[in-house]
Amino acid sequence: QIGSLVNLAMIEMRTVVRFVADRRTSSDISVLAFLAVFRDETQKALSVVDIEIRWQLLALSRIVATSFDANLSLMRILQEAVHNATYRAQAKNISVTAVLDDNDWLTLEIFNSGGAPFCSTTPKGHGIHNMEQRALKLDGTFEIEPRPGGALARVRLPLGTHFVRSGEWIGR
């Protein structure tokens, strides 16, 4: 157990260092490409502790962040949601889905199951508060709701200021 937690912590640190090191080019690539290392490292770490995670992020291939900070904030929201699902809820299954709707809103849903259900009456911890604040910083919203054996966390971000469709970002 301790070895698995240490392994997860080390992978998390390496992931963040890689993103910071790639700061120069991160606003020139799709959000999907920016999150690739995070996704791959998370997949490896969770497989060690028998947690299944599924990613449906193709919609992010058409989206570009207008700054490194926007990409990093989105990654940190996903990172905290996955952390809460594994550490707090002890979920066995996680799915991360991105959808871009016709009204230029990007929605990311992080669903976890197979663990403890989220209780909306329990006081929110720092992680949930941080996800809410990061979403607000991106002009978006964050919400979490209980589901049988888990929770559904939802981040909604408008396109325009912090994220745009590929080809619309001319601030390079």
Side-chain angles (χ1 to χ4, degrees):
Q1 179 77 343
I2 292 174
S4 295
L5 294 174
V6 170
N7 188 33
L8 287 172
M10 293 301 295
I11 289 171
E12 178 181 39
M13 286 189 296
R14 283 193 295 267
T15 301
V16 171
V17 168
R18 286 183 191 167
F19 281 102
V20 172
D22 198 30
R23 189 175 189 133
R24 300 171 311 254
T25 60
S26 63
S27 63
D28 295 338
I29 60 175
S30 72
V31 174
L32 180 65
F34 182 84
L35 293 174
V37 172
F38 169 73
R39 187 184 67 233
D40 292 344
E41 295 295 335
T42 300
Q43 188 86 36
K44 289 177 199 172
L46 295 182
S47 70
V48 169
V49 291
D50 293 324
I51 297 173
E52 181 183 346
I53 187 164
R54 291 176 307 282
W55 305 90
Q56 297 172 352
L57 303 177
L58 191 57
L60 297 179
S61 66
R62 301 185 314 265
I63 305 299
V64 176
T66 59
S67 71
F68 172 78
D69 289 338
N71 266 333
L72 186 61
S73 290
L74 180 58
M75 184 201 68
R76 296 295 290 178
I77 292 169
L78 290 174
Q79 186 177 33
E80 185 65 38
V82 170
H83 168 77
N84 282 355
T86 57
Y87 184 74
R88 304 270 184 239
Q90 299 180 346
K92 290 295 178 191
N93 302 291
I94 301 169
S95 67
V96 182
T97 305
V99 176
L100 180 61
D101 70 22
D102 293 335
N103 296 316
D104 283 345
W105 278 84
L106 176 63
T107 302
L108 286 107
E109 293 186 337
I110 305 92
F111 173 70
N112 72 72
S113 63
F118 173 74
C119 180
S120 57
T121 59
T122 302
K124 294 178 184 175
H126 294 295
I128 291 175
H129 176 75
N130 290 341
M131 288 185 282
E132 289 171 335
Q133 292 304 305
R134 284 188 173 103
L136 282 173
K137 179 180 167 188
L138 299 171
D139 302 325
T141 61
F142 174 84
E143 59 189 24
I144 185 167
E145 55 193 56
R147 293 292 164 99
L152 175 66
R154 182 177 296 116
V155 183
R156 291 191 30 86
L157 305 168
L159 297 189
T161 304
H162 302 287
F163 297 96
V164 297
R165 291 181 186 272
S166 298
E168 294 178 5
W169 171 235
I170 55 174
R172 298 178 209 183

